[in-house]
Amino acid sequence: MTSNATIHSDLNPLDSMMKRFDEAAKILGLDDSIYNTLKYPAKAVTVHLPIMMDNGKVHVFEGHRVQHSTTLGPSKGGIRYSMDVSIDEVKALAAWMTWKCAVVGIPYGGGKGGIKCDPKSMSKGEVERLTRAYAASMSDVFGPDKDIPAPDMNTGQQEMAWIVDEYSKIKGQYTPAVCTGKPLTMGGSLGRVEATGRGVMVSTRSALAKLGLKPQECTCVVQGFGNVGSISAKLIEMLGIKIIGISDVTGGYYAPEGIKVEDAINYVKANGNLKGFAGKNITNSELLELECDILVPAAMEDQITDQNAGNIKAKLIVEGANGPTSASADAILNEKGIMVVPDILANAGGVTVSYFEWVQNRMGYFWTEERVNRRADRVMKQAFDVVYDASKKHNVAMRIAAYVVAMDKVATTQKFRGVF
Ligand code: NAD
């Protein structure tokens, strides 16, 4: 990480989320019983996994799986491998998934998992044994109708393939629907790789229409050029919008005359990152404050804070990343009249197509990419409209409106289902 990319953070993203949760709870007038039910996870499982390392020694890893809510359906959420994994972080990320699934109206609750490990320092065999041990220990926690994991930080289709394989062996039947984000040959879905960026594009298009801005007259800056950033940039460019700034961990690249996104994608393919790419080299902090119409933070959390929110010039922010804006920045952005399409809405295209993957697995029938995209676009557009209407109804920003929509759905269902 370059030092210029790190911006002072007042709250961690999870505290930020709870602040929004509390604000939305007040608007909804949630009674204490529902509030407390939603504040805590329904189930949290911690396991200790002894793994034979390549050097012949046994190392014991700690893993977690949290089901925040199963009110709307089986819990859904990724598994991350990182030395920063802790049960508290996993609990908060699981809650985040509850709101994300609810806001786009897919029939899932929220879950998250993690193993405290540094996979980059482990051999492939060690990562495989760890993943299989985790899947085996969670075989009664996971299930297509119970809890459906997916990739997250430092996990991908290979880990999902091992989880399906291990789970299927234990259950005695091939069960690809136990997780999503699988390789295509094991029941993965076409369109999944592009899904999050596609949803960012659909959110951008919907927001511009509400703001009365013509795409052909707009400029856009994208922070982060990985899966979400590069695909968002490519698809936003296809709307006729000029991309004038992009960035990654190596810094920002600014070209007021416009950047050809395909060139940047090819550059990263050839060089591994954007270092040396055409355009004026600026810092990530400068990039966020560029004169532009649309800003898409698609790198990491806590990039827009009370320290720099006042300097942001974009009229629209579409959050590709999770938690890129701290809670203290919300009021500043609102005051400036900047529309923010919040993360739980803007980047929900990924979980939407994960849901389609699960649906296809259960049908044993696979859709064309065109069908996946068309249906995902519809879900994202409808969700945007519902949140926009809620923001008008309650006279609140889109972020709080998204929480209100999501929490209302879960709370209403919770009331019907009842408690002990
Ligand atoms: P990725 O690893 O593919 O890409 C991350 C990008 O951010 C890279 O270009 C990297 O160089 C850049 N980056 C890292 N640190 C940076 C810094 N300090 N300043 C500027 N750029 C920096 O990751 P991704 O899958 O694109 O995820 C990006 C964000 O989107 C994360 O917050 C993730 O949680 C969120 N998200 C991803 C998905 C998905 O489907 N991939 C879905 C929902 C949300």
Side-chain angles (χ1 to χ4, degrees), residues 8-186:
H8 161 85
S9 141
D10 47 337
L11 278 176
N12 71 49
L14 312 173
D15 291 337
S16 280
M17 184 193 67
M18 280 316 291
K19 273 198 84 173
R20 279 91 174 229
F21 172 81
D22 285 347
E23 217 174 316
K26 264 191 218 121
I27 291 172
L28 281 171
L30 274 195
D31 62 58
D32 279 357
S33 61
I34 300 273
Y35 177 86
N36 287 329
T37 309
L38 295 177
K39 197 169 169 181
Y40 299 104
K43 186 187 267 191
V45 181
T46 295
V47 290
H48 291 96
L49 307 165
I51 303 298
M52 180 65 73
M53 305 304 278
D54 291 349
N55 65 8
K57 294 202 170 120
V58 171
H59 186 88
V60 182
F61 292 87
E62 187 173 87
H64 311 282
R65 182 71 187 172
V66 172
Q67 299 173 354
H68 170 258
S69 166
T70 52
T71 300
L72 295 180
S75 42
K76 181 93 192 80
I79 297 169
R80 63 173 54 175
Y81 289 180
S82 159
M83 289 307 288
D84 295 331
V85 163
S86 70
I87 187 70
D88 284 341
E89 185 194 53
V90 178
K91 280 180 186 173
L93 293 170
W96 214 324
M97 287 305 298
T98 302
W99 315 132
K100 201 182 279 195
C101 294
V103 85
V104 285
I106 58 179
Y108 286 146
K112 203 82 184 186
I115 303 178
K116 188 173 170 155
C117 66
D118 174 15
K120 300 222 160 80
S121 71
M122 295 163 69
S123 69
K124 188 171 178 188
E126 288 169 343
V127 175
E128 176 173 356
R129 293 194 289 282
L130 178 60
T131 305
R132 287 184 183 279
Y134 179 74
S137 71
M138 295 291 175
S139 61
D140 286 330
V141 176
F142 296 159
D145 288 309
K146 287 160 79 174
D147 183 13
I148 308 145
D152 194 70
M153 207 181 280
N154 292 326
T155 60
Q157 59 175 10
Q158 177 61 77
E159 286 74 17
M160 298 307 112
W162 288 325
I163 290 173
V164 168
D165 187 67
E166 198 60 35
Y167 182 89
S168 299
K169 279 180 191 151
I170 291 169
K171 299 293 173 186
Q173 58 185 34
Y174 185 50
T175 317
V178 71
C179 67
T180 61
K182 300 179 290 291
L184 276 179
T185 56
M186 286 182 70

Side-chain angles (χ1 to χ4, degrees), residues 189-215:
S189 178
L190 291 167
R192 174 61 189 92
V193 174
E194 297 79 17
T196 306
R198 223 186 140 75
V200 170
M201 177 274 286
V202 173
S203 300
T204 304
R205 193 171 57 193
S206 301
L208 289 181
K210 297 290 183 198
L211 292 170
L213 294 172
K214 291 199 181 77

